[in-house]
Amino acid sequence: MSSYLKSHPTRDGFFGTYGGADLPPVLQPHFEEISKAYDTISRSAEFIRDLRYIRKHFQGRPTPVSHLKNLSDRCGGAQIYAKREDLNHTGAHKLNHCMAEALLAKHMGKTKLMAETGAGQHGVALATAAAYFGMECEIHMGEIDIAKEAPNVTRMKLLGAEVVPVCFGGRSLKEAVDSAFQSYVPQAETALFAIGSVVGPHPFPMMVRNFQHVVGIEAREQFLEMTGELPDMVGACVGGGSNAMGLFAGFIDDPDVALYGVEPLGTSSNLGDHAATLTYGEDGDIHGFRTMLLKDEAGEPAPVHTVASGLDYPGVGPEHAYLYRSGRATYTAADDKEALKAFYDLSRHEGIIPALESAHAVAFAMREAGKNPGKSILINLSGRGDKDIDYVTETYGFSVD
Ligand SMILES: *Cc1c(COP(=O)(O)O)cnc(C)c1O
């Protein structure tokens, strides 16, 4: 591994002042067990061989890099390229870390995978991994999200997962986290809690980044082969930040490659209307780790909004907070309107319907292209948009202009 990745995080899981594992005593030994298992098992020849096999023969990796020539011509200026995680099995990057987490669970002798899910994307990816390995799967999901995201609930059930409805409080993601952790404690001997992004207590931000690193490794090699150079700018949307960290990890030791995270600006910069955590947030603690947060007046995680439900999170992975403070990466935001325009444009002019989350990265590339003639921009197309087409066309029709 490269020098930055080897030295970040520290052994206790800190990226500068961010990260760590501030856990209730009942959970501490279980996270320590995961940490130890990761350190030993993930380096073993058997694990590496198994994961390579799965990526190639089940997930369909490597995914290609595509030159978005029509979009580049229309924007004028820079050439835009996309790493095609929409072509990864199940249609998004999440399966990269879910398959690896499940493989780790199997090597640890666990028989069950557990998680919470918001929009259901993580639940579907984890249920897929559980089915592949013949493991049980228990997914906690707020009642409100269950009603909103019916197709993903159907997918999870088809894949054999038990979907546990969460009926207290706001009946959404935050309560689903609480409910899933409660259910996990008595089952922790036999189950692995699999976090769905580069968030949560150590070792998850490091582990999920390292499992997503394959995206950046492939993209760097493919881009070099296509163009003979490295990209000038690399960009990805940031919810928790796993698809962005995966791509960034491939270029972080290349000082001439500028890294950009794109946060969702929703409908406005007023608190509650967006989920642009690094752009508008401050230091804080959430779900057992230190990071940057959007807080309400009482100092609690604030309500957030974005058209892309996968980016709907008031915190962000601790490594992004660190890269933001250190200046190694730059964070910018795209609002709902820009993301929707990018969604339509990529569909119409490239024949690729992107996930609304990924459309934020496309919007970033379209905006920057005109300002950077002669340069190249590589974005992560984190997922495909089939899940979003009904919502988008019913709400906005077939174009934004
Ligand atoms: C979940 C999701 C995201 C956001 O998660 P990150 O951890 O920030 O990558 C982005 N794109 C797609 C397609 C997703 O499903």
Side-chain angles (χ1 to χ4, degrees):
M1 245 193 276
S2 64
S3 56
Y4 169 89
L5 297 179
K6 260 190 193 152
S7 52
H8 297 79
T10 63
R11 277 208 65 72
D12 316 334
F14 281 95
F15 303 90
T17 56
Y18 300 108
D22 185 12
L23 288 159
V26 284
L27 286 174
Q28 263 169 23
H30 302 304
F31 276 73
E32 275 161 26
E33 183 204 357
I34 298 169
S35 213
K36 270 204 194 110
Y38 174 76
D39 284 345
T40 52
I41 294 168
S42 75
R43 293 205 183 95
S44 74
E46 199 190 346
F47 184 93
I48 293 167
R49 187 198 59 212
D50 289 354
L51 192 56
R52 279 208 186 119
Y53 181 93
I54 289 164
R55 284 172 172 168
K56 183 167 177 192
H57 297 286
F58 182 63
Q59 293 180 227
R61 304 203 68 88
T63 59
V65 165
S66 298
H67 181 197
L68 307 181
K69 189 166 182 312
N70 300 336
L71 198 69
S72 305
D73 286 349
R74 295 180 73 86
C75 295
Q79 294 302 311
I80 307 171
Y81 296 78
K83 175 64 171 164
R84 301 290 306 280
E85 290 306 290
D86 58 314
L87 296 176
N88 195 34
H89 179 45
T90 71
H93 71 287
K94 285 198 177 72
L95 197 66
N96 297 332
H97 61 250
C98 283
M99 291 306 290
E101 285 176 325
L103 182 63
L104 182 68
K106 192 186 150 211
H107 280 256
M108 291 170 76
K110 309 279 186 192
T111 56
K112 183 171 188 173
L113 300 171
M114 298 184 65
E116 81 292 337
T117 193
Q121 296 297 104
H122 176 50
V124 169
L126 199 65
T128 301
Y132 179 93
F133 286 105
M135 299 173 95
E136 285 180 76
C137 187
E138 181 182 315
I139 304 291
H140 291 244
M141 190 170 182
E143 258 191 333
I144 296 200
D145 295 327
I146 288 180
K148 266 199 335 216
E149 310 287 347
N152 276 342
V153 177
T154 305
R155 284 186 189 104
M156 285 185 266
K157 289 182 176 166
L158 274 172
L159 293 161
E162 182 194 354
V163 181
V164 179
V166 179
C167 313
F168 59 87
R171 294 178 291 152
S172 189
L173 181 61
K174 185 179 170 298
E175 292 75 23
V177 175
D178 297 338
S179 169
F181 267 111
Q182 253 174 36
S183 177
Y184 169 62
V185 171
Q187 304 187 64
E189 295 291 320
T190 52
L192 181 81
F193 198 95
I195 292 178
S197 186
V198 286
V199 298
H202 181 66
F204 281 92
M206 170 185 75
M207 204 164 89
V208 171
R209 173 196 74 190
N210 291 348
F211 290 150
Q212 286 292 345
H213 186 193
V214 64
V215 173
I217 293 173
E218 288 176 7
R220 189 176 186 282
E221 247 180 58
Q222 292 164 322
F223 194 92
L224 268 173
E225 193 191 306
M226 286 173 90
T227 69
E229 296 170 352
L230 289 176
D232 296 299
M233 304 160 79
V234 161
C237 67
V238 177
S242 64
N243 89 87
M245 262 338 296
L247 188 62
F248 288 5
F251 297 93
I252 201 148
D253 283 323
D254 297 310
D256 294 337
V257 178
L259 308 176
Y260 293 87
V262 188
E263 300 194 299
L265 192 56
T267 52
S268 91
S269 57
N270 295 332
L271 192 68
D273 287 351
H274 63 83
T277 308
L278 294 167
T279 310
Y280 295 105
E282 52 192 308
D283 289 358
D285 299 286
I286 184 172
H287 298 141
F289 66 105
R290 185 153 189 85
T291 186
M292 286 178 70
L293 278 185
L294 291 168
K295 293 184 196 171
D296 65 14
E297 280 149 25
E300 291 299 307
V304 282
H305 164 83
T306 148
V307 71
S309 45
L311 303 179
D312 219 338
Y313 185 58
V316 66
E319 191 164 13
H320 286 293
Y322 172 72
L323 294 176
Y324 168 78
R325 294 286 190 201
S326 74
R328 176 62 186 95
T330 305
Y331 293 83
T332 172
D335 65 18
D336 285 358
K337 269 203 188 125
E338 289 174 280
L340 282 160
K341 175 152 183 7
F343 176 91
Y344 290 119
D345 283 352
L346 195 72
S347 303
R348 178 71 184 79
H349 302 302
E350 292 289 348
I352 302 169
I353 302 176
L356 280 172
E357 292 80 7
S358 325
H360 286 75
V362 179
F364 158 79
M366 290 170 65
R367 184 208 295 162
E368 289 301 319
K371 295 190 239 164
N372 291 280
K375 300 266 169 88
S376 58
I377 306 175
L378 170 66
I379 54 164
N380 201 357
L381 209 67
S382 54
R384 67 173 181 231
D386 302 53
K387 66 185 178 58
D388 298 314
I389 56 173
D390 289 343
Y391 169 76
V392 168
T393 53
E394 278 161 25
T395 315
Y396 304 96
F398 285 86
S399 75
V400 268
D401 348 270

